[in-house]
Amino acid sequence: MKRLFTLLVYFSLVTLLAGCDRETPPKPSETICGTIRGLSCPEGQYCDYGIGQCKVPDTQGVCKTKPTVCTREFDPVCGCDGKTYGNACEAAAAGVSIDHKGECQKNEPVACGGITGAQCPDGQVCVDDPSDNCDPTQGGADCPGICKAK
């Protein structure tokens, strides 16, 4: 029994020490980006927040290398910048995370003014809506407008 125990200890040590000879370096830890601190990524990388996370405030992402070559496969994705990319690789190459699969939807104009006096969001101004038949320059009263960037 003592000999069996000695052999077991010997083979355990040999197995343990054999693992130390590997020349493969340990996997580097992922670099965190985004968060409330606004951490950025090194040159040649972008912050990948994960699909559908771009509108979440203070989201944490992971730095990933921007691809330099992408396939021409058309599998559209909508980037966090509101632009449609041909595929996820093209979005990553542009340094943009993905909001959702599929093309980005065109933004419908936000109504403002009119009889309700609705206000535009910050950074936008209310202008006459050219698609309606109410024109304030032609005497139209309480004409609704649409919000446009300043």
Side-chain angles (χ1 to χ4, degrees):
M1 184 73 162
K2 189 175 182 181
R3 187 170 182 209
L4 181 60
F5 180 73
T6 305
L7 284 173
L8 182 60
V9 170
Y10 172 77
F11 285 116
S12 296
L13 286 173
V14 168
T15 304
L16 181 64
L17 292 175
C20 294
D21 291 347
R22 295 184 184 171
E23 293 182 22
T24 307
K27 187 175 180 180
S29 61
E30 296 176 325
T31 304
I32 302 300
C33 55
T35 73
I36 196 167
R37 293 176 43 203
L39 302 173
S40 58
C41 294
E43 185 77 27
Q45 294 186 342
Y46 75 103
C47 193
D48 183 6
Y49 296 108
I51 295 177
Q53 298 300 308
C54 15
K55 293 181 179 95
V56 178
D58 306 325
T59 300
Q60 175 178 307
V62 176
C63 291
K64 293 192 177 175
T65 303
K66 291 180 185 178
T68 55
V69 177
C70 294
T71 63
R72 299 185 91 186
E73 168 192 21
F74 186 69
D75 187 13
V77 295
C78 181
C80 288
D81 59 357
K83 295 180 183 175
T84 300
Y85 294 89
N87 56 45
C89 180
E90 289 180 5
V96 178
S97 285
I98 298 171
D99 187 17
H100 60 83
K101 292 184 180 255
E103 296 184 29
C104 298
Q105 300 297 315
K106 301 263 189 229
N107 290 337
E108 292 294 320
V110 176
C112 60
I115 197 165
T116 65
Q119 299 293 312
C120 291
D122 288 342
Q124 295 187 350
V125 62
C126 190
V127 298
D128 181 48
D129 184 356
S131 66
D132 66 14
N133 58 2
C134 186
D135 187 354
T137 61
Q138 300 297 319
D142 296 325
C143 295
I146 55 173
C147 297
K148 295 275 185 172
K150 287 183 179 179

